[in-house]
Amino acid sequence: TPTLTPTPLPELSIGSSSVTEGDSGSQTMTFTVTLSVPAPGPISVQWATTDGTARGTPPNNDYVSAGGIVSFITGQQTQTLTVTILGDTTPEEDEELFVDLSNPVGATIAVGRGAGTIIDDDPASVTLDTTAVDVLEGNTGTTPAPPLTVRLAAPAERDVVVYFTTVDGSAVAGAPNNDYVAATGIVTILAGTTTADFEVDVRGDTLFEPDEAFTVELQPSPDVTLVGNTSATVNIRNDDMLS
């Protein structure tokens, strides 16, 4: 009597997905469930969402927790399921949820977890608290001007990086004046906080001259929306006597 080899069951796999969250309302995140071969007959599998960094429960819902059954009829090889993503205006990291497959009927599970990435699209609103500072230039080396403060309208759930640059005025960074140290840099406002300070440096000399000034300006970036005041004047006060 010949030995009959059982036909292996089809294998189920779920893919990953991503969607930009939006500022309000809801978006749809779609996951695709695939069979290794077209269904030879009815096949079903249960699915359910699982929190990652994204939360599906109050009070900070990033998505709507859900579950259900994916069914295949004879000849079908792919099906989809959807998860509802909730929009908000909070600057935060991209977040992740999972969809897990379980209890297959008529198939086995090869890849049972799909990752869903909620892409944050909320820039942080940033202003420059400081409008002007004064600093005595000194006679040699460099002297830091009083700190300048950048401020968020509300705490962010992620670090916010703000760009700034210096701009010549009556004070000039380059030769032959060398009144201050030109700077283009970043200041980081840490997650959960609203302010951060940074400094720029002026150069000392022994030349009697009028007071001079230059400007520090915040720079636009995809990470932030600049609001209100975005520049500060640094006044370099002369401290050298006329010979």
Side-chain angles (χ1 to χ4, degrees):
T1 302
T3 301
L4 298 178
T5 303
T7 302
L9 292 175
E11 295 182 331
L12 288 157
S13 297
I14 185 170
S16 296
S17 185
S18 64
V19 69
T20 301
E21 69 173 5
D23 293 336
S24 62
S26 62
Q27 321 297 325
T28 297
M29 181 180 287
T30 301
F31 293 82
T32 300
V33 182
T34 304
L35 282 167
S36 55
V37 296
I43 289 175
S44 64
V45 65
Q46 294 179 8
W47 67 273
T49 55
T50 301
D51 285 354
T53 51
R55 298 289 180 261
T57 54
N60 298 315
N61 299 59
D62 301 301
Y63 72 98
V64 179
S65 294
I69 296 175
V70 175
S71 298
F72 297 79
I73 61 173
T74 302
Q76 288 184 328
Q77 195 166 1
T78 62
Q79 287 283 41
T80 59
L81 61 91
T82 60
V83 177
T84 299
I85 306 302
L86 302 176
D88 62 43
T89 56
T90 301
E92 54 197 347
E93 301 283 1
D94 294 346
E95 297 171 310
E96 192 172 54
L97 60 93
F98 303 100
V99 174
D100 293 316
L101 303 182
S102 63
N103 301 320
V105 176
T108 60
I109 295 175
V111 179
R113 168 165 281 196
T117 302
I118 304 172
I119 301 171
D120 180 64
D121 60 351
D122 301 308
S125 295
V126 175
T127 190
L128 186 56
D129 266 7
T130 316
T131 57
V133 293
D134 292 354
V135 57
L136 292 175
E137 67 177 1
N139 294 328
T140 60
T142 60
T143 300
L148 307 176
T149 301
V150 288
R151 180 178 297 276
L152 291 178
E157 294 181 5
R158 56 174 167 79
D159 292 353
V160 175
V161 175
V162 184
Y163 294 84
F164 70 90
T165 191
T166 53
V167 179
D168 286 350
S170 55
V172 176
N177 300 57
N178 295 322
D179 297 311
Y180 71 96
V181 180
T184 297
I186 63 172
V187 54
T188 301
I189 304 174
L190 298 178
T193 66
T194 56
T195 63
D197 294 340
F198 67 102
E199 296 175 343
V200 292
D201 292 330
V202 302
R203 295 187 187 276
D205 62 41
T206 56
L207 177 67
F208 178 79
E209 58 192 344
D211 293 343
E212 299 168 312
F214 64 97
T215 302
V216 179
E217 296 181 352
L218 301 186
Q219 300 294 293
S221 77
D223 197 39
V224 303
T225 297
L226 300 180
V227 297
N229 179 55
T230 60
S231 66
T233 300
V234 179
N235 298 301
I236 305 173
R237 301 304 185 188
N238 176 64
D239 58 357
D240 300 306
M241 301 300 292
L242 182 63
S243 298

